[in-house]
């Protein structure tokens, strides 16, 4: 195979939601950017069933997507705004967050992951300085004198000052760089179940804690919803063996009365829950972001929102370095990126773990204490507003 060499300022491995967002943001700085992605996203058609992989994206993430020019395309496909977020364990001890408390029209949107990626990919054509190698995988990475040489399995060889690993939780870029992780596998898995309901479109997402794990509902466009069932890995594995009718019966038995029982199961998928945090986000001429850098318990729907904050931070530090004519791929800039993001991600991950652990036992005094806590947290006060702003990526 003849090898073709291409020079880029930045090569991003992984064109998922985070890698695609980074590609556009960095191309907007006038840099020559390449994205290497192994799977071509499937074009959208309105009659396609709703994918089970959905995310609750925050207002801060929406703001980033707007700056990248992808938000209108996303709204033209499918999404649903949610205006309320409710959580409880024992009936009567509920905490409710509402968009009005922050004088906002909504708290975020529920979107299919693949449509966020697609909306971003549709923007690629706007940039002559953005090249996409797809389908392609990395065959070899080699350090060169002024950057990194990336050989692809299609015979192309890319030279870059900066390599960006946005290649997901099992990041080969992170592993190649020898960046270690701390983390563990939670003893839980989670099942996402799309249902067709008889109710009109919902705009509140809710979650009930049980000692076995939370049971949640995310509204989907039209008369649809996504149920999220956290449980031990064996229970989730058993649920996977059920047909749609049997799965509905199991849901009827294990979900709170809040769920209207007039629904049908349409689709489902299951995911193990892992927690990984890279010990550092950069090495010479290389950074990692998104799930390549951190995977968080999906309990509070923060994973891709944190990834988008990484993207924002990387664009920001590189833009600042450009203004002062620094070599933006050198250590001081990459270090600044890590400084902006590592502790924020660690804080959110630890917060989620404490929350998760706090609700994972059934000892009566503790149960009562946390339910009184939820009840007290329901009063509208500055602390509640602060928590909500933080969850929305606005603080
Ligand atoms: C059950 C569940 C529910 C979730 N709910 C939410 C939620 O409500 N809100 C939220 O914010 N987050 C949520 N998340 C987390 C969110 O899905 C992830 O944080 C997000 O998908 C990470 O995006 P990414 O682009 O970093 O990685 P990925 O989505 O994993 O993308 C990585 C990309 O890299 C490509 N790739 C990998 N290796 C290579 C290679 N060697 N060469 C070329 N290409 C490669 C892959 O094909 C892929 O396209 C949830 C996660 C789970 C498991």
């Amino acid at each position: 195979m003849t090898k073709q060499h291409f020079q880029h300022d930045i090569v991003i491995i992984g064109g998922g939601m985070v890698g695609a967002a980074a590609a556009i943001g960095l191309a907007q700085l006038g840099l020559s950017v390449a994205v290497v992605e192994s799977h071509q996203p499937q074009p959208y058609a309105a009659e396609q069933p709703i994918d089970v992989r959905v995310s609750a994206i925050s207002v801060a993430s929406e703001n980033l997507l707007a700056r990248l020019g992808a938000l209108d395309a996303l709204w033209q496909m499918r999404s649903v705004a949610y205006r309320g977020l409710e959580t409880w364990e024992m009936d009567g001890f509920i905490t409710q967050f509402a968009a009005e408390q922050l004088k906002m029209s909504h708290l975020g949107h529920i979107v299919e992951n693949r449509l966020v990626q697609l909306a971003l990919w549709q923007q690629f054509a706007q940039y002559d300085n953005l090249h996409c190698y797809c389908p392609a995988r990395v065959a070899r990475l080699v350090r060169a004198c002024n950057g990194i040489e990336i050989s692809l399995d299609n015979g192309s060889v890319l030279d870059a000052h900066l390599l960006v690993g946005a290649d997901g939780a099992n990041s080969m870029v992170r592993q190649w760089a020898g960046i270690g992780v701390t983390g563990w596998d939670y003893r839980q898995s989670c099942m996402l179940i799309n249902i067709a309901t008889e109710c009109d479109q919902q705009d509140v997402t809710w979650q009930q804690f049980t000692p076995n794990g939370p049971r949640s509902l995310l509204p989907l466009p039209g008369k649809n919803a996504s149920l999220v069932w956290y449980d031990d890995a064996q229970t989730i594995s058993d649920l996977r063996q059920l047909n749609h009718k049997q799965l509905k019966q199991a849901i009827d038995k294990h979900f709170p009365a809040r769920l209207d029982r007039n629904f049908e199961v349409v689709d489902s998928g299951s995911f193990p829950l892992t927690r990984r945090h890279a010990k550092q986000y950069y090495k010479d001429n290389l950074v990692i972001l998104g799930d390549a850098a951190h995977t968080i318990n999906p309990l509070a729907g923060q994973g891709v929102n944190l990834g988008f904050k990484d993207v924002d931070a990387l664009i920001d530090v590189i833009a600042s370095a450009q203004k002062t004519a620094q070599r933006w791929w050198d250590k001081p800039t990459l270090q600044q990126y890590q400084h902006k993001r590592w502790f924020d991600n660690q804080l959110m991950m630890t917060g989620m773990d404490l929350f998760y652990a706090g609700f994972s036992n059934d000892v009566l005094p503790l149960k009562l204490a946390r339910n009184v806590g939820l009840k007290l947290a329901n009063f509208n006060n500055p602390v509640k507003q602060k928590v909500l702003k933080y969850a929305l990526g606005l603080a």
Side-chain angles (χ1 to χ4, degrees), residues 75 78-82 108-111 201-203 218-222:
W75 291 169
R78 270 193 305 232
S79 62
V80 53
Y82 68 98
H109 277 76
I110 313 293
V111 289
Q201 184 170 299
Q202 311 281 299
D203 66 357
L218 307 175
L220 291 179

Side-chain angles (χ1 to χ4, degrees), residues 14 17-18 37-39 53 55-56 167-168 190 291 301-305:
M17 295 187 277
V18 171
E37 168 56 52
S38 51
H39 295 94
R53 293 217 57 163
S55 292
D167 49 345
C190 122
D291 272 24
Q302 287 296 333
V304 77
N305 292 309

Side-chain angles (χ1 to χ4, degrees), residues 219-238:
L220 291 179
K223 296 185 170 190
N224 298 291
S226 165
L227 302 180
V228 193
W229 184 336
Y230 297 81
D231 222 308
D232 63 80
Q234 186 55 51
T235 303
I236 296 294
S237 165
D238 294 345

